[in-house]
Amino acid sequence: MSTDYYALLGVAPNATDDEIKKAFRSLARKYHPDANPDDPNSLERFKEINEAYETLKDPERRRRYDMFGPDGANAGNPFGGAGFDANAFGLNDLFDAFFGGSGRARGPAGPQRGPDAETVLDLTLEQVVFGTRASLDLHMPIECDVCNGSGCAPGSHPERCRTCEGTGEVRQVRRSLLGQIVTAAPCGVCNATGQSILSPCERCGGAGRIDGDRTIDVDVPKGIDDGQRLRLAGRGPSAPRGGPPGDLYVSVRVKRHPDFERRDNDLWRRVPITIVQAALGTTVELPTLDGARSLEIPAGIQHGAQLRLRGLGVPSLRSGRRGDVIAEVHVEVPMNLTADQAELLAQFAAARGEHVTPPHDGLFSRIKSAFKS
């Protein structure tokens, strides 16, 4: 057997307690006999690792080991350096090595938490921009109004479960090469609550909750977007036997607006104008969610140009600052011109030296007559 405990654990002589403990956990998992059933040397290797750890984790034994070696470290140890005993190893160390915790028994079990639930909330764009308070009518488990969630008939009380002694779990002990191994599982008698109800409530059958209707008010923050979720902590389904309720998740679904399209925190809409308005400029009344606003169209504006009205868009969820309204200009070409309108456009094209397709014969004759007169 090697006598260099630091080498066995793969740490330096000046390693900290946490480094020694971490190294031991890693090696214990690797060389545990149950993990190496086909390796007859794993148990011996595991014993060496355990002996090194038991020595180095104790400050006084580590000091003696550093000064005098293994014999000095084990002076006064009733088991000696060569012996190995499951009780000397400690069940808590075994749990600590494999599960990162200890094998101590649990305290009394508490009531179980209720499940989470999810619902959908439909909103308009106006509600998103200005915020709203919405009411949700839901059907879900609610607290029993007869026993107030305890599950017990009026005048009675729950008692400690005799099977798990109130811990909510049942432990089993089995023997292995290392001694006793303890496993734990939820108690099936009390459903891991640690309590037994001898006189259950007639209305809920001892569950502490019933199916019912509930109305929940939701304060919708300004600027929320389609597809986002709100978490309402503790406002979900009730838990069995008076436990804390679960959470309610509200998925937001925003209805499509007939005029505006949301892009981030800006609102886009089309502004149709004629070719004459585009050429000469104009002022139009633009409907917004805050009311109509005057929008000046500069002369010579092109199709697809964007004009911005600041501060009339969607508020930011973080800062509350509103985006803008983006007016996208769409120049519409007139159709079904009258003869007079076509004649004026032809004159305009001639004045600019632009080639156009001549109007139909009757109209063209009228135009030629007009030029001759």
Side-chain angles (χ1 to χ4, degrees):
M1 177 183 298
S2 172
T3 57
D4 189 344
Y5 291 162
Y6 294 107
L8 277 172
L9 297 180
V11 296
N14 61 348
T16 64
D17 293 341
D18 288 340
E19 291 172 340
I20 291 173
K21 188 174 185 179
K22 183 178 180 180
F24 168 71
R25 286 181 177 178
S26 177
L27 293 172
R29 296 188 190 99
K30 181 177 180 181
Y31 291 104
H32 191 280
D34 289 348
N36 301 273
D38 299 328
D39 185 1
N41 298 321
S42 62
L43 177 59
E44 190 64 28
R45 179 67 170 170
F46 190 81
K47 289 179 180 180
E48 294 179 359
I49 295 168
N50 177 71
E51 180 182 335
Y53 175 65
E54 291 293 324
T55 299
L56 299 182
K57 78 173 184 177
D58 184 275
E60 179 59 25
R61 291 183 63 186
R62 182 178 180 181
R63 184 186 66 82
R64 294 200 304 266
Y65 170 78
D66 290 339
M67 295 179 62
F68 307 110
D71 292 337
N74 291 316
N77 180 9
F79 299 102
F84 175 81
D85 186 89
N87 294 324
F89 174 70
L91 186 60
N92 287 346
D93 287 333
L94 181 62
F95 270 79
D96 190 53
F98 279 87
F99 305 108
S102 70
R104 298 183 183 90
R106 283 179 49 184
Q112 297 181 13
R113 178 181 177 275
D116 295 335
E118 185 170 359
T119 188
V120 176
L121 175 62
D122 289 316
L123 297 174
T124 64
L125 184 59
E126 289 82 359
Q127 291 173 318
V128 168
V129 171
F130 302 112
T132 187
R133 184 175 179 85
S135 294
L136 300 172
D137 296 323
L138 304 173
H139 186 77
M140 64 169 64
I142 61 175
E143 185 178 85
C144 177
D145 55 355
V146 175
C147 65
N148 296 322
S150 68
C152 300
S156 63
H157 303 280
E159 297 184 359
R160 186 174 67 174
C161 176
R162 297 179 181 179
T163 301
C164 65
E165 296 297 330
T167 63
E169 64 180 21
V170 178
R171 291 173 171 261
Q172 295 180 341
V173 180
R174 65 182 180 88
R175 295 186 177 275
S176 71
L177 295 175
L178 301 178
Q180 293 181 342
I181 301 296
V182 180
T183 58
C187 178
V189 176
C190 65
N191 293 323
T193 63
Q195 296 180 336
S196 295
I197 297 180
L198 302 182
S199 300
C201 171
E202 293 185 358
R203 177 166 173 78
C204 65
R209 60 180 185 173
I210 58 175
D211 288 337
D213 297 320
R214 175 187 296 175
T215 299
I216 297 178
D217 293 329
V218 183
D219 290 321
V220 180
K222 298 178 182 179
I224 196 167
D225 204 353
D226 183 77
Q228 291 183 323
R229 294 202 307 174
L230 297 172
R231 175 177 174 265
L232 305 182
R235 301 178 71 180
S238 296
R241 300 185 185 180
D247 298 337
L248 178 64
Y249 290 90
V250 182
S251 295
V252 172
R253 188 167 55 192
V254 182
K255 297 178 182 177
R256 188 180 185 89
H257 196 277
D259 298 322
F260 290 100
E261 177 187 353
R262 179 176 180 176
R263 301 182 188 178
D264 293 329
N265 290 331
D266 293 333
L267 294 177
W268 288 60
R269 69 164 301 157
R270 292 184 176 184
V271 179
I273 60 175
T274 67
I275 55 175
V276 177
Q277 290 173 322
L280 302 179
T282 186
T283 299
V284 298
E285 290 294 312
L286 182 69
T288 73
L289 299 183
D290 295 81
R293 295 289 189 273
S294 295
L295 180 66
E296 184 177 349
I297 309 293
I301 196 169
Q302 299 299 306
H303 179 84
Q306 299 163 9
L307 302 176
R308 185 179 297 265
L309 295 176
R310 299 193 178 276
L312 298 178
V314 181
S316 168
L317 273 176
R318 293 185 177 180
S319 65
R321 182 178 179 180
R322 293 182 64 175
D324 303 330
V325 167
I326 309 298
E328 188 175 66
V329 174
H330 280 243
V331 179
E332 296 182 345
V333 178
M335 302 177 63
N336 301 320
L337 294 173
T338 65
D340 292 338
Q341 292 170 344
E343 181 178 334
L344 291 174
L345 285 178
Q347 294 177 15
F348 175 75
R352 291 179 55 88
E354 297 177 356
H355 173 74
V356 297
T357 301
H360 55 78
D361 292 338
L363 179 60
F364 185 68
S365 300
R366 291 175 55 190
I367 293 174
K368 288 194 299 181
S369 300
F371 283 140
K372 292 179 180 178
S373 59

